[in-house]
PDB file of all heavy atoms in Angstrom:
ATOM      1  N   LEU A   1      59.934 -31.455 141.950  1.00 91.00           N
ATOM      2  CA  LEU A   1      59.714 -31.714 143.371  1.00 91.00           C
ATOM      3  C   LEU A   1      60.461 -32.927 143.908  1.00 91.00           C
ATOM      4  O   LEU A   1      60.982 -32.908 145.023  1.00 91.00           O
ATOM      5  CB  LEU A   1      58.216 -31.896 143.659  1.00 91.00           C
ATOM      6  CG  LEU A   1      57.354 -30.658 143.432  1.00 91.00           C
ATOM      7  CD1 LEU A   1      55.896 -30.991 143.720  1.00 91.00           C
ATOM      8  CD2 LEU A   1      57.829 -29.509 144.301  1.00 91.00           C
ATOM      9  N   HIS A   2      60.486 -33.978 143.121  1.00 87.00           N
ATOM     10  CA  HIS A   2      60.981 -35.256 143.623  1.00 87.00           C
ATOM     11  C   HIS A   2      62.268 -35.713 142.947  1.00 87.00           C
ATOM     12  O   HIS A   2      62.792 -36.768 143.292  1.00 87.00           O
ATOM     13  CB  HIS A   2      59.918 -36.339 143.475  1.00 87.00           C
ATOM     14  CG  HIS A   2      58.602 -35.944 144.080  1.00 87.00           C
ATOM     15  ND1 HIS A   2      58.438 -35.726 145.421  1.00 87.00           N
ATOM     16  CD2 HIS A   2      57.401 -35.684 143.496  1.00 87.00           C
ATOM     17  CE1 HIS A   2      57.185 -35.381 145.655  1.00 87.00           C
ATOM     18  NE2 HIS A   2      56.533 -35.334 144.494  1.00 87.00           N
ATOM     19  N   GLY A   3      62.736 -34.961 141.969  1.00 82.00           N
ATOM     20  CA  GLY A   3      63.961 -35.351 141.284  1.00 82.00           C
ATOM     21  C   GLY A   3      63.766 -36.536 140.376  1.00 82.00           C
ATOM     22  O   GLY A   3      64.722 -37.212 140.015  1.00 82.00           O
ATOM     23  N   ALA A   4      62.511 -36.791 139.995  1.00 80.00           N
ATOM     24  CA  ALA A   4      62.232 -37.915 139.094  1.00 80.00           C
ATOM     25  C   ALA A   4      62.963 -37.676 137.777  1.00 80.00           C
ATOM     26  O   ALA A   4      63.223 -36.530 137.385  1.00 80.00           O
ATOM     27  CB  ALA A   4      60.743 -38.039 138.836  1.00 80.00           C
ATOM     28  N   GLY A   5      63.279 -38.743 137.105  1.00 85.00           N
ATOM     29  CA  GLY A   5      64.015 -38.652 135.854  1.00 85.00           C
ATOM     30  C   GLY A   5      63.343 -37.775 134.819  1.00 85.00           C
ATOM     31  O   GLY A   5      62.109 -37.652 134.789  1.00 85.00           O
ATOM     32  N   LEU A   6      64.124 -37.142 134.005  1.00 88.00           N
ATOM     33  CA  LEU A   6      63.629 -36.291 132.942  1.00 88.00           C
ATOM     34  C   LEU A   6      64.048 -36.924 131.625  1.00 88.00           C
ATOM     35  O   LEU A   6      65.246 -37.182 131.411  1.00 88.00           O
ATOM     36  CB  LEU A   6      64.228 -34.880 133.073  1.00 88.00           C
ATOM     37  CG  LEU A   6      63.816 -33.859 132.032  1.00 88.00           C
ATOM     38  CD1 LEU A   6      62.324 -33.520 132.173  1.00 88.00           C
ATOM     39  CD2 LEU A   6      64.628 -32.590 132.184  1.00 88.00           C
ATOM     40  N   ALA A   7      63.077 -37.200 130.780  1.00 90.00           N
ATOM     41  CA  ALA A   7      63.385 -37.808 129.478  1.00 90.00           C
ATOM     42  C   ALA A   7      64.367 -36.925 128.703  1.00 90.00           C
ATOM     43  O   ALA A   7      64.258 -35.689 128.727  1.00 90.00           O
ATOM     44  CB  ALA A   7      62.098 -38.008 128.677  1.00 90.00           C
ATOM     45  N   ALA A   8      65.304 -37.563 128.035  1.00 90.00           N
ATOM     46  CA  ALA A   8      66.346 -36.841 127.320  1.00 90.00           C
ATOM     47  C   ALA A   8      65.773 -35.854 126.307  1.00 90.00           C
ATOM     48  O   ALA A   8      66.317 -34.768 126.097  1.00 90.00           O
ATOM     49  CB  ALA A   8      67.275 -37.826 126.618  1.00 90.00           C
ATOM     50  N   ARG A   9      64.635 -36.191 125.708  1.00 93.00           N
ATOM     51  CA  ARG A   9      64.061 -35.317 124.686  1.00 93.00           C
ATOM     52  C   ARG A   9      63.542 -33.991 125.249  1.00 93.00           C
ATOM     53  O   ARG A   9      63.303 -33.039 124.510  1.00 93.00           O
ATOM     54  CB  ARG A   9      62.954 -36.032 123.910  1.00 93.00           C
ATOM     55  CG  ARG A   9      61.723 -36.330 124.701  1.00 93.00           C
ATOM     56  CD  ARG A   9      60.686 -37.043 123.844  1.00 93.00           C
ATOM     57  NE  ARG A   9      59.453 -37.253 124.539  1.00 93.00           N
ATOM     58  CZ  ARG A   9      59.180 -38.302 125.314  1.00 93.00           C
ATOM     59  NH1 ARG A   9      60.077 -39.240 125.466  1.00 93.00           N
ATOM     60  NH2 ARG A   9      58.001 -38.397 125.898  1.00 93.00           N
ATOM     61  N   PHE A  10      63.377 -33.922 126.583  1.00 93.00           N
ATOM     62  CA  PHE A  10      62.886 -32.695 127.201  1.00 93.00           C
ATOM     63  C   PHE A  10      64.016 -31.825 127.761  1.00 93.00           C
ATOM     64  O   PHE A  10      63.783 -30.674 128.109  1.00 93.00           O
ATOM     65  CB  PHE A  10      61.899 -32.994 128.326  1.00 93.00           C
ATOM     66  CG  PHE A  10      60.658 -33.690 127.869  1.00 93.00           C
ATOM     67  CD1 PHE A  10      60.242 -34.851 128.469  1.00 93.00           C
ATOM     68  CD2 PHE A  10      59.900 -33.178 126.826  1.00 93.00           C
ATOM     69  CE1 PHE A  10      59.073 -35.503 128.054  1.00 93.00           C
ATOM     70  CE2 PHE A  10      58.748 -33.803 126.392  1.00 93.00           C
ATOM     71  CZ  PHE A  10      58.343 -34.977 127.012  1.00 93.00           C
ATOM     72  N   ARG A  11      65.198 -32.360 127.890  1.00 92.00           N
ATOM     73  CA  ARG A  11      66.289 -31.611 128.530  1.00 92.00           C
ATOM     74  C   ARG A  11      66.671 -30.350 127.771  1.00 92.00           C
ATOM     75  O   ARG A  11      66.739 -29.270 128.345  1.00 92.00           O
ATOM     76  CB  ARG A  11      67.521 -32.512 128.718  1.00 92.00           C
ATOM     77  CG  ARG A  11      67.289 -33.532 129.785  1.00 92.00           C
ATOM     78  CD  ARG A  11      68.494 -34.402 130.008  1.00 92.00           C
ATOM     79  NE  ARG A  11      68.103 -35.484 130.907  1.00 92.00           N
ATOM     80  CZ  ARG A  11      68.749 -36.620 131.012  1.00 92.00           C
ATOM     81  NH1 ARG A  11      69.832 -36.816 130.310  1.00 92.00           N
ATOM     82  NH2 ARG A  11      68.321 -37.542 131.833  1.00 92.00           N
ATOM     83  N   GLU A  12      66.916 -30.478 126.496  1.00 93.00           N
ATOM     84  CA  GLU A  12      67.329 -29.306 125.716  1.00 93.00           C
ATOM     85  C   GLU A  12      66.223 -28.247 125.632  1.00 93.00           C
ATOM     86  O   GLU A  12      66.491 -27.061 125.872  1.00 93.00           O
ATOM     87  CB  GLU A  12      67.780 -29.720 124.311  1.00 93.00           C
ATOM     88  CG  GLU A  12      68.346 -28.565 123.524  1.00 93.00           C
ATOM     89  CD  GLU A  12      68.874 -28.985 122.168  1.00 93.00           C
ATOM     90  OE1 GLU A  12      69.259 -30.150 122.001  1.00 93.00           O
ATOM     91  OE2 GLU A  12      68.860 -28.128 121.280  1.00 93.00           O
ATOM     92  N   PRO A  13      64.970 -28.636 125.351  1.00 94.00           N
ATOM     93  CA  PRO A  13      63.913 -27.616 125.328  1.00 94.00           C
ATOM     94  C   PRO A  13      63.716 -26.938 126.686  1.00 94.00           C
ATOM     95  O   PRO A  13      63.493 -25.720 126.742  1.00 94.00           O
ATOM     96  CB  PRO A  13      62.661 -28.383 124.906  1.00 94.00           C
ATOM     97  CG  PRO A  13      63.151 -29.597 124.227  1.00 94.00           C
ATOM     98  CD  PRO A  13      64.456 -29.927 124.869  1.00 94.00           C
ATOM     99  N   LEU A  14      63.825 -27.705 127.777  1.00 93.00           N
ATOM    100  CA  LEU A  14      63.670 -27.113 129.105  1.00 93.00           C
ATOM    101  C   LEU A  14      64.795 -26.121 129.378  1.00 93.00           C
ATOM    102  O   LEU A  14      64.565 -25.017 129.877  1.00 93.00           O
ATOM    103  CB  LEU A  14      63.642 -28.204 130.177  1.00 93.00           C
ATOM    104  CG  LEU A  14      63.425 -27.727 131.614  1.00 93.00           C
ATOM    105  CD1 LEU A  14      62.128 -26.956 131.760  1.00 93.00           C
ATOM    106  CD2 LEU A  14      63.452 -28.918 132.573  1.00 93.00           C
ATOM    107  N   GLN A  15      65.998 -26.487 129.029  1.00 92.00           N
ATOM    108  CA  GLN A  15      67.147 -25.605 129.206  1.00 92.00           C
ATOM    109  C   GLN A  15      66.963 -24.324 128.385  1.00 92.00           C
ATOM    110  O   GLN A  15      67.199 -23.218 128.867  1.00 92.00           O
ATOM    111  CB  GLN A  15      68.424 -26.333 128.801  1.00 92.00           C
ATOM    112  CG  GLN A  15      69.679 -25.550 129.065  1.00 92.00           C
ATOM    113  CD  GLN A  15      70.913 -26.386 128.789  1.00 92.00           C
ATOM    114  OE1 GLN A  15      70.873 -27.619 128.742  1.00 92.00           O
ATOM    115  NE2 GLN A  15      72.024 -25.722 128.577  1.00 92.00           N
ATOM    116  N   LYS A  16      66.494 -24.471 127.165  1.00 92.00           N
ATOM    117  CA  LYS A  16      66.289 -23.313 126.282  1.00 92.00           C
ATOM    118  C   LYS A  16      65.241 -22.349 126.852  1.00 92.00           C
ATOM    119  O   LYS A  16      65.446 -21.136 126.908  1.00 92.00           O
ATOM    120  CB  LYS A  16      65.842 -23.807 124.905  1.00 92.00           C
ATOM    121  CG  LYS A  16      65.568 -22.707 123.925  1.00 92.00           C
ATOM    122  CD  LYS A  16      65.116 -23.283 122.587  1.00 92.00           C
ATOM    123  CE  LYS A  16      64.691 -22.199 121.647  1.00 92.00           C
ATOM    124  NZ  LYS A  16      64.152 -22.742 120.400  1.00 92.00           N
ATOM    125  N   HIS A  17      64.130 -22.907 127.328  1.00 92.00           N
ATOM    126  CA  HIS A  17      63.054 -22.049 127.849  1.00 92.00           C
ATOM    127  C   HIS A  17      63.445 -21.412 129.187  1.00 92.00           C
ATOM    128  O   HIS A  17      63.070 -20.274 129.463  1.00 92.00           O
ATOM    129  CB  HIS A  17      61.741 -22.821 127.943  1.00 92.00           C
ATOM    130  CG  HIS A  17      61.123 -23.007 126.598  1.00 92.00           C
ATOM    131  ND1 HIS A  17      60.471 -21.983 125.921  1.00 92.00           N
ATOM    132  CD2 HIS A  17      61.077 -24.071 125.780  1.00 92.00           C
ATOM    133  CE1 HIS A  17      60.054 -22.428 124.759  1.00 92.00           C
ATOM    134  NE2 HIS A  17      60.402 -23.693 124.641  1.00 92.00           N
ATOM    135  N   CYS A  18      64.191 -22.127 129.998  1.00 91.00           N
ATOM    136  CA  CYS A  18      64.680 -21.519 131.250  1.00 91.00           C
ATOM    137  C   CYS A  18      65.601 -20.361 130.937  1.00 91.00           C
ATOM    138  O   CYS A  18      65.546 -19.325 131.612  1.00 91.00           O
ATOM    139  CB  CYS A  18      65.414 -22.564 132.091  1.00 91.00           C
ATOM    140  SG  CYS A  18      64.328 -23.729 132.932  1.00 91.00           S
ATOM    141  N   SER A  19      66.422 -20.502 129.909  1.00 90.00           N
ATOM    142  CA  SER A  19      67.358 -19.428 129.567  1.00 90.00           C
ATOM    143  C   SER A  19      66.639 -18.173 129.069  1.00 90.00           C
ATOM    144  O   SER A  19      67.135 -17.070 129.216  1.00 90.00           O
ATOM    145  CB  SER A  19      68.382 -19.894 128.546  1.00 90.00           C
ATOM    146  OG  SER A  19      67.786 -20.080 127.271  1.00 90.00           O
ATOM    147  N   HIS A  20      65.451 -18.348 128.491  1.00 88.00           N
ATOM    148  CA  HIS A  20      64.677 -17.183 128.066  1.00 88.00           C
ATOM    149  C   HIS A  20      64.111 -16.436 129.266  1.00 88.00           C
ATOM    150  O   HIS A  20      63.945 -15.222 129.216  1.00 88.00           O
ATOM    151  CB  HIS A  20      63.525 -17.594 127.135  1.00 88.00           C
ATOM    152  CG  HIS A  20      63.968 -18.020 125.789  1.00 88.00           C
ATOM    153  ND1 HIS A  20      64.596 -17.180 124.891  1.00 88.00           N
ATOM    154  CD2 HIS A  20      63.910 -19.221 125.170  1.00 88.00           C
ATOM    155  CE1 HIS A  20      64.890 -17.826 123.787  1.00 88.00           C
ATOM    156  NE2 HIS A  20      64.490 -19.065 123.922  1.00 88.00           N
ATOM    157  N   LEU A  21      63.801 -17.164 130.339  1.00 88.00           N
ATOM    158  CA  LEU A  21      63.196 -16.534 131.514  1.00 88.00           C
ATOM    159  C   LEU A  21      64.229 -16.015 132.496  1.00 88.00           C
ATOM    160  O   LEU A  21      64.037 -14.959 133.094  1.00 88.00           O
ATOM    161  CB  LEU A  21      62.266 -17.556 132.196  1.00 88.00           C
ATOM    162  CG  LEU A  21      61.066 -17.970 131.355  1.00 88.00           C
ATOM    163  CD1 LEU A  21      60.352 -19.138 131.992  1.00 88.00           C
ATOM    164  CD2 LEU A  21      60.120 -16.806 131.186  1.00 88.00           C
ATOM    165  N   ILE A  22      65.296 -16.756 132.705  1.00 88.00           N
ATOM    166  CA  ILE A  22      66.402 -16.340 133.570  1.00 88.00           C
ATOM    167  C   ILE A  22      67.689 -16.825 132.928  1.00 88.00           C
ATOM    168  O   ILE A  22      67.931 -18.028 132.876  1.00 88.00           O
ATOM    169  CB  ILE A  22      66.291 -16.922 134.988  1.00 88.00           C
ATOM    170  CG1 ILE A  22      65.094 -16.352 135.719  1.00 88.00           C
ATOM    171  CG2 ILE A  22      67.569 -16.638 135.783  1.00 88.00           C
ATOM    172  CD1 ILE A  22      64.912 -16.855 137.145  1.00 88.00           C
ATOM    173  N   PRO A  23      68.513 -15.916 132.420  1.00 88.00           N
ATOM    174  CA  PRO A  23      69.791 -16.350 131.836  1.00 88.00           C
ATOM    175  C   PRO A  23      70.632 -17.108 132.853  1.00 88.00           C
ATOM    176  O   PRO A  23      70.692 -16.741 134.029  1.00 88.00           O
ATOM    177  CB  PRO A  23      70.465 -15.019 131.439  1.00 88.00           C
ATOM    178  CG  PRO A  23      69.335 -14.069 131.311  1.00 88.00           C
ATOM    179  CD  PRO A  23      68.312 -14.486 132.324  1.00 88.00           C
ATOM    180  N   TYR A  24      71.234 -18.198 132.398  1.00 83.00           N
ATOM    181  CA  TYR A  24      72.000 -19.059 133.289  1.00 83.00           C
ATOM    182  C   TYR A  24      73.106 -18.275 134.008  1.00 83.00           C
ATOM    183  O   TYR A  24      73.336 -18.476 135.186  1.00 83.00           O
ATOM    184  CB  TYR A  24      72.624 -20.215 132.494  1.00 83.00           C
ATOM    185  CG  TYR A  24      73.270 -21.269 133.358  1.00 83.00           C
ATOM    186  CD1 TYR A  24      72.514 -22.155 134.093  1.00 83.00           C
ATOM    187  CD2 TYR A  24      74.653 -21.335 133.467  1.00 83.00           C
ATOM    188  CE1 TYR A  24      73.091 -23.118 134.896  1.00 83.00           C
ATOM    189  CE2 TYR A  24      75.254 -22.285 134.277  1.00 83.00           C
ATOM    190  CZ  TYR A  24      74.465 -23.185 134.982  1.00 83.00           C
ATOM    191  OH  TYR A  24      75.050 -24.123 135.782  1.00 83.00           O
ATOM    192  N   SER A  25      73.716 -17.322 133.319  1.00 87.00           N
ATOM    193  CA  SER A  25      74.811 -16.556 133.911  1.00 87.00           C
ATOM    194  C   SER A  25      74.315 -15.638 135.029  1.00 87.00           C
ATOM    195  O   SER A  25      75.103 -15.205 135.861  1.00 87.00           O
ATOM    196  CB  SER A  25      75.517 -15.722 132.845  1.00 87.00           C
ATOM    197  OG  SER A  25      74.607 -14.809 132.256  1.00 87.00           O
ATOM    198  N   GLN A  26      73.025 -15.345 135.072  1.00 89.00           N
ATOM    199  CA  GLN A  26      72.478 -14.430 136.074  1.00 89.00           C
ATOM    200  C   GLN A  26      71.687 -15.137 137.169  1.00 89.00           C
ATOM    201  O   GLN A  26      71.051 -14.499 137.988  1.00 89.00           O
ATOM    202  CB  GLN A  26      71.580 -13.398 135.397  1.00 89.00           C
ATOM    203  CG  GLN A  26      72.313 -12.518 134.424  1.00 89.00           C
ATOM    204  CD  GLN A  26      71.372 -11.576 133.696  1.00 89.00           C
ATOM    205  OE1 GLN A  26      70.191 -11.508 133.990  1.00 89.00           O
ATOM    206  NE2 GLN A  26      71.908 -10.875 132.721  1.00 89.00           N
ATOM    207  N   ARG A  27      71.714 -16.470 137.194  1.00 85.00           N
ATOM    208  CA  ARG A  27      70.875 -17.214 138.128  1.00 85.00           C
ATOM    209  C   ARG A  27      71.222 -16.898 139.585  1.00 85.00           C
ATOM    210  O   ARG A  27      70.320 -16.842 140.422  1.00 85.00           O
ATOM    211  CB  ARG A  27      70.913 -18.704 137.850  1.00 85.00           C
ATOM    212  CG  ARG A  27      72.215 -19.361 138.169  1.00 85.00           C
ATOM    213  CD  ARG A  27      72.329 -20.762 137.598  1.00 85.00           C
ATOM    214  NE  ARG A  27      73.541 -21.424 138.033  1.00 85.00           N
ATOM    215  CZ  ARG A  27      74.753 -21.101 137.652  1.00 85.00           C
ATOM    216  NH1 ARG A  27      74.939 -20.119 136.816  1.00 85.00           N
ATOM    217  NH2 ARG A  27      75.799 -21.748 138.114  1.00 85.00           N
ATOM    218  N   ASP A  28      72.485 -16.661 139.909  1.00 88.00           N
ATOM    219  CA  ASP A  28      72.851 -16.347 141.293  1.00 88.00           C
ATOM    220  C   ASP A  28      72.278 -15.002 141.703  1.00 88.00           C
ATOM    221  O   ASP A  28      71.853 -14.837 142.848  1.00 88.00           O
ATOM    222  CB  ASP A  28      74.375 -16.350 141.464  1.00 88.00           C
ATOM    223  CG  ASP A  28      74.956 -17.748 141.327  1.00 88.00           C
ATOM    224  OD1 ASP A  28      74.240 -18.725 141.636  1.00 88.00           O
ATOM    225  OD2 ASP A  28      76.126 -17.865 140.921  1.00 88.00           O
ATOM    226  N   GLN A  29      72.252 -14.044 140.810  1.00 89.00           N
ATOM    227  CA  GLN A  29      71.670 -12.729 141.082  1.00 89.00           C
ATOM    228  C   GLN A  29      70.170 -12.868 141.375  1.00 89.00           C
ATOM    229  O   GLN A  29      69.660 -12.282 142.326  1.00 89.00           O
ATOM    230  CB  GLN A  29      71.870 -11.830 139.874  1.00 89.00           C
ATOM    231  CG  GLN A  29      71.163 -10.507 139.940  1.00 89.00           C
ATOM    232  CD  GLN A  29      71.282  -9.745 138.622  1.00 89.00           C
ATOM    233  OE1 GLN A  29      72.130 -10.047 137.796  1.00 89.00           O
ATOM    234  NE2 GLN A  29      70.407  -8.788 138.420  1.00 89.00           N
ATOM    235  N   TYR A  30      69.467 -13.674 140.613  1.00 87.00           N
ATOM    236  CA  TYR A  30      68.032 -13.874 140.811  1.00 87.00           C
ATOM    237  C   TYR A  30      67.785 -14.615 142.135  1.00 87.00           C
ATOM    238  O   TYR A  30      66.842 -14.312 142.859  1.00 87.00           O
ATOM    239  CB  TYR A  30      67.422 -14.665 139.663  1.00 87.00           C
ATOM    240  CG  TYR A  30      67.125 -13.827 138.453  1.00 87.00           C
ATOM    241  CD1 TYR A  30      68.110 -13.556 137.512  1.00 87.00           C
ATOM    242  CD2 TYR A  30      65.857 -13.311 138.241  1.00 87.00           C
ATOM    243  CE1 TYR A  30      67.840 -12.774 136.383  1.00 87.00           C
ATOM    244  CE2 TYR A  30      65.571 -12.536 137.132  1.00 87.00           C
ATOM    245  CZ  TYR A  30      66.577 -12.282 136.213  1.00 87.00           C
ATOM    246  OH  TYR A  30      66.303 -11.514 135.107  1.00 87.00           O
ATOM    247  N   ARG A  31      68.625 -15.586 142.439  1.00 87.00           N
ATOM    248  CA  ARG A  31      68.496 -16.341 143.690  1.00 87.00           C
ATOM    249  C   ARG A  31      68.663 -15.412 144.894  1.00 87.00           C
ATOM    250  O   ARG A  31      67.892 -15.448 145.835  1.00 87.00           O
ATOM    251  CB  ARG A  31      69.522 -17.468 143.741  1.00 87.00           C
ATOM    252  CG  ARG A  31      69.354 -18.391 144.921  1.00 87.00           C
ATOM    253  CD  ARG A  31      70.339 -19.541 144.920  1.00 87.00           C
ATOM    254  NE  ARG A  31      70.163 -20.381 143.736  1.00 87.00           N
ATOM    255  CZ  ARG A  31      71.084 -20.555 142.780  1.00 87.00           C
ATOM    256  NH1 ARG A  31      72.249 -19.946 142.869  1.00 87.00           N
ATOM    257  NH2 ARG A  31      70.854 -21.323 141.750  1.00 87.00           N
ATOM    258  N   THR A  32      69.654 -14.526 144.826  1.00 90.00           N
ATOM    259  CA  THR A  32      69.889 -13.555 145.909  1.00 90.00           C
ATOM    260  C   THR A  32      68.685 -12.632 146.056  1.00 90.00           C
ATOM    261  O   THR A  32      68.241 -12.341 147.169  1.00 90.00           O
ATOM    262  CB  THR A  32      71.150 -12.731 145.592  1.00 90.00           C
ATOM    263  OG1 THR A  32      72.260 -13.618 145.463  1.00 90.00           O
ATOM    264  CG2 THR A  32      71.430 -11.730 146.695  1.00 90.00           C
ATOM    265  N   GLU A  33      68.139 -12.183 144.934  1.00 88.00           N
ATOM    266  CA  GLU A  33      66.966 -11.297 144.967  1.00 88.00           C
ATOM    267  C   GLU A  33      65.771 -12.007 145.620  1.00 88.00           C
ATOM    268  O   GLU A  33      65.057 -11.414 146.426  1.00 88.00           O
ATOM    269  CB  GLU A  33      66.600 -10.871 143.556  1.00 88.00           C
ATOM    270  CG  GLU A  33      65.477  -9.861 143.505  1.00 88.00           C
ATOM    271  CD  GLU A  33      65.172  -9.433 142.073  1.00 88.00           C
ATOM    272  OE1 GLU A  33      66.107  -9.329 141.255  1.00 88.00           O
ATOM    273  OE2 GLU A  33      63.986  -9.216 141.790  1.00 88.00           O
ATOM    274  N   LEU A  34      65.578 -13.284 145.309  1.00 85.00           N
ATOM    275  CA  LEU A  34      64.483 -14.042 145.925  1.00 85.00           C
ATOM    276  C   LEU A  34      64.689 -14.166 147.427  1.00 85.00           C
ATOM    277  O   LEU A  34      63.739 -14.043 148.199  1.00 85.00           O
ATOM    278  CB  LEU A  34      64.401 -15.442 145.310  1.00 85.00           C
ATOM    279  CG  LEU A  34      63.561 -15.600 144.073  1.00 85.00           C
ATOM    280  CD1 LEU A  34      63.696 -17.009 143.512  1.00 85.00           C
ATOM    281  CD2 LEU A  34      62.102 -15.297 144.358  1.00 85.00           C
ATOM    282  N   GLU A  35      65.926 -14.415 147.833  1.00 86.00           N
ATOM    283  CA  GLU A  35      66.208 -14.558 149.262  1.00 86.00           C
ATOM    284  C   GLU A  35      65.959 -13.240 149.994  1.00 86.00           C
ATOM    285  O   GLU A  35      65.427 -13.228 151.099  1.00 86.00           O
ATOM    286  CB  GLU A  35      67.655 -15.024 149.482  1.00 86.00           C
ATOM    287  CG  GLU A  35      67.863 -16.452 149.065  1.00 86.00           C
ATOM    288  CD  GLU A  35      69.323 -16.857 149.023  1.00 86.00           C
ATOM    289  OE1 GLU A  35      70.222 -16.011 149.292  1.00 86.00           O
ATOM    290  OE2 GLU A  35      69.597 -18.032 148.698  1.00 86.00           O
ATOM    291  N   GLU A  36      66.319 -12.133 149.369  1.00 87.00           N
ATOM    292  CA  GLU A  36      66.080 -10.816 149.968  1.00 87.00           C
ATOM    293  C   GLU A  36      64.589 -10.541 150.087  1.00 87.00           C
ATOM    294  O   GLU A  36      64.119 -10.020 151.089  1.00 87.00           O
ATOM    295  CB  GLU A  36      66.764  -9.723 149.148  1.00 87.00           C
ATOM    296  CG  GLU A  36      68.264  -9.745 149.270  1.00 87.00           C
ATOM    297  CD  GLU A  36      68.944  -8.762 148.314  1.00 87.00           C
ATOM    298  OE1 GLU A  36      68.249  -8.090 147.533  1.00 87.00           O
ATOM    299  OE2 GLU A  36      70.179  -8.684 148.373  1.00 87.00           O
ATOM    300  N   ARG A  37      63.843 -10.915 149.031  1.00 80.00           N
ATOM    301  CA  ARG A  37      62.387 -10.742 149.049  1.00 80.00           C
ATOM    302  C   ARG A  37      61.753 -11.522 150.197  1.00 80.00           C
ATOM    303  O   ARG A  37      60.930 -11.013 150.928  1.00 80.00           O
ATOM    304  CB  ARG A  37      61.765 -11.244 147.750  1.00 80.00           C
ATOM    305  CG  ARG A  37      61.614 -10.213 146.709  1.00 80.00           C
ATOM    306  CD  ARG A  37      60.636 -10.719 145.686  1.00 80.00           C
ATOM    307  NE  ARG A  37      61.181 -10.581 144.360  1.00 80.00           N
ATOM    308  CZ  ARG A  37      60.709 -11.168 143.279  1.00 80.00           C
ATOM    309  NH1 ARG A  37      59.686 -11.989 143.353  1.00 80.00           N
ATOM    310  NH2 ARG A  37      61.226 -10.938 142.108  1.00 80.00           N
ATOM    311  N   SER A  38      62.141 -12.785 150.318  1.00 77.00           N
ATOM    312  CA  SER A  38      61.540 -13.605 151.373  1.00 77.00           C
ATOM    313  C   SER A  38      61.966 -13.119 152.748  1.00 77.00           C
ATOM    314  O   SER A  38      61.196 -13.197 153.698  1.00 77.00           O
ATOM    315  CB  SER A  38      61.897 -15.077 151.168  1.00 77.00           C
ATOM    316  OG  SER A  38      63.266 -15.294 151.350  1.00 77.00           O
ATOM    317  N   GLY A  39      63.177 -12.592 152.872  1.00 73.00           N
ATOM    318  CA  GLY A  39      63.618 -12.039 154.141  1.00 73.00           C
ATOM    319  C   GLY A  39      62.829 -10.816 154.552  1.00 73.00           C
ATOM    320  O   GLY A  39      62.430 -10.661 155.707  1.00 73.00           O
ATOM    321  N   SER A  40      62.528  -9.945 153.596  1.00 68.00           N
ATOM    322  CA  SER A  40      61.751  -8.747 153.918  1.00 68.00           C
ATOM    323  C   SER A  40      60.307  -9.102 154.230  1.00 68.00           C
ATOM    324  O   SER A  40      59.672  -8.477 155.052  1.00 68.00           O
ATOM    325  CB  SER A  40      61.804  -7.731 152.769  1.00 68.00           C
ATOM    326  OG  SER A  40      61.169  -8.217 151.618  1.00 68.00           O
ATOM    327  N   GLU A  41      59.771 -10.130 153.593  1.00 62.00           N
ATOM    328  CA  GLU A  41      58.409 -10.577 153.895  1.00 62.00           C
ATOM    329  C   GLU A  41      58.340 -11.149 155.302  1.00 62.00           C
ATOM    330  O   GLU A  41      57.377 -10.924 156.015  1.00 62.00           O
ATOM    331  CB  GLU A  41      57.933 -11.609 152.874  1.00 62.00           C
ATOM    332  CG  GLU A  41      57.655 -11.014 151.522  1.00 62.00           C
ATOM    333  CD  GLU A  41      57.363 -12.052 150.462  1.00 62.00           C
ATOM    334  OE1 GLU A  41      57.271 -13.253 150.808  1.00 62.00           O
ATOM    335  OE2 GLU A  41      57.231 -11.679 149.291  1.00 62.00           O
TER     336      GLU A  41
END
């Protein structure tokens, strides 16, 4: 929310878990899908 610092020891695990939920290479596709969803709502 606020862009507060993230301890270095959490960066790699956070990146790893994000990649399991949304592959980095597909993030633009997911972002577009979210925008379309919110537009239809």
Side-chain angles (χ1 to χ4, degrees):
L1 295 178
H2 307 296
L6 180 67
R9 68 180 185 272
F10 297 128
R11 288 182 189 159
E12 186 177 333
L14 182 59
Q15 185 174 340
K16 178 181 174 185
H17 285 285
C18 285
S19 71
H20 288 296
L21 296 169
I22 293 181
Y24 188 74
S25 61
Q26 297 176 6
R27 70 193 186 290
D28 292 332
Q29 172 187 342
Y30 280 84
R31 187 177 299 116
T32 302
E33 185 179 324
L34 272 174
E35 290 169 359
E36 289 173 358
R37 268 197 230 166
S38 66
S40 66
E41 288 173 6

